[in-house]
Amino acid sequence: MEIQKLYDLDDIEFEDITIGLVRLAKNVPDHEFFYKVNQINDLKFKRISDFILHGSYYDYHFPRFEAYHKFTKTCFTFISNRSSESKQKKLQTELFSEEEYIKFLLNNQVEVQYILHSSEQFPDFSVILLPENLVFPIQDYTLSSEEELYQIIQYYE
């Protein structure tokens, strides 16, 4: 007797997800930024384990900060767009390798400091108050299922 296939990965439709792009008006360290965010919110962001991206030559670490909204039971996660640490695995022998010491999750958005993700299907980032004169308005950004960051977020979720 054959085992019936429950689902075919080719038939599954992956939905796009919406993330928020957070740009800071001035350069401040992570701990200072989240101290100010925690002062003006009911949400209390705390640092959780780093997001690790394995490259051919380096392992990149991206800081993550997480909080839960009590009433909506929503989890919000800030992920640093820029790697904070890079651990070299082996020496680069190629002259024009695409891998560098510093990595950005969104290569086309290097001016973005944080990527904001929500556990909700249709996130509402307006519940997070951000310090005035420190942050530009959050920009919604749609990730398609073909993008590497989409796959990484789904893995860590």
Side-chain angles (χ1 to χ4, degrees):
M1 184 188 280
E2 287 185 32
I3 298 174
Q4 185 179 12
K5 221 178 194 182
L6 294 176
Y7 59 87
D8 185 8
L9 289 176
D10 295 333
D11 292 339
I12 297 174
E13 270 191 46
F14 294 104
E15 294 184 14
D16 295 345
I17 58 173
T18 301
I19 59 173
L21 304 182
V22 180
R23 292 175 176 83
L24 299 181
K26 55 184 170 181
N27 198 8
V28 294
D30 291 341
H31 66 275
E32 186 177 328
F33 173 70
F34 285 102
Y35 174 76
K36 290 181 180 186
V37 169
N38 286 342
Q39 279 185 319
I40 59 175
N41 283 286
D42 289 336
L43 296 164
K44 298 301 175 209
F45 285 91
K46 62 181 180 177
R47 177 115 186 229
I48 59 173
S49 61
D50 286 355
F51 198 90
I52 301 173
L53 186 61
H54 301 285
S56 300
Y57 299 103
Y58 295 96
D59 285 338
Y60 301 100
H61 293 254
F62 298 90
R64 291 189 307 158
F65 301 85
E66 187 175 82
Y68 291 94
H69 194 269
K70 294 175 189 174
F71 301 112
T72 62
K73 308 232 186 291
T74 303
C75 176
F76 291 102
T77 307
F78 278 91
I79 307 164
S80 180
N81 186 35
R82 184 178 194 261
S83 62
S84 63
E85 181 181 1
S86 301
K87 294 183 180 176
Q88 189 170 11
K89 297 193 289 190
K90 61 182 178 179
L91 288 173
Q92 287 183 308
T93 54
E94 297 176 22
L95 185 57
F96 297 107
S97 170
E98 290 185 16
E99 202 167 321
E100 296 180 19
Y101 183 71
I102 294 174
K103 173 102 174 131
F104 290 91
L105 290 174
L106 291 171
N107 290 324
N108 58 343
Q109 302 282 345
V110 295
E111 71 283 353
V112 170
Q113 280 76 24
Y114 300 104
I115 297 164
L116 180 56
H117 177 256
S118 170
S119 60
E120 292 290 316
Q121 176 82 23
F122 302 105
D124 180 15
F125 299 126
S126 65
V127 298
I128 302 172
L129 300 174
L130 297 173
E132 290 184 27
N133 302 326
L134 185 59
V135 180
F136 293 109
I138 296 174
Q139 176 189 352
D140 287 347
Y141 185 85
T142 304
L143 286 176
S144 68
S145 59
E146 292 87 36
E147 294 183 59
E148 180 184 23
L149 183 57
Y150 177 95
Q151 303 298 328
I152 293 169
I153 288 174
Q154 293 301 321
Y155 174 77
Y156 276 91
E157 198 174 69

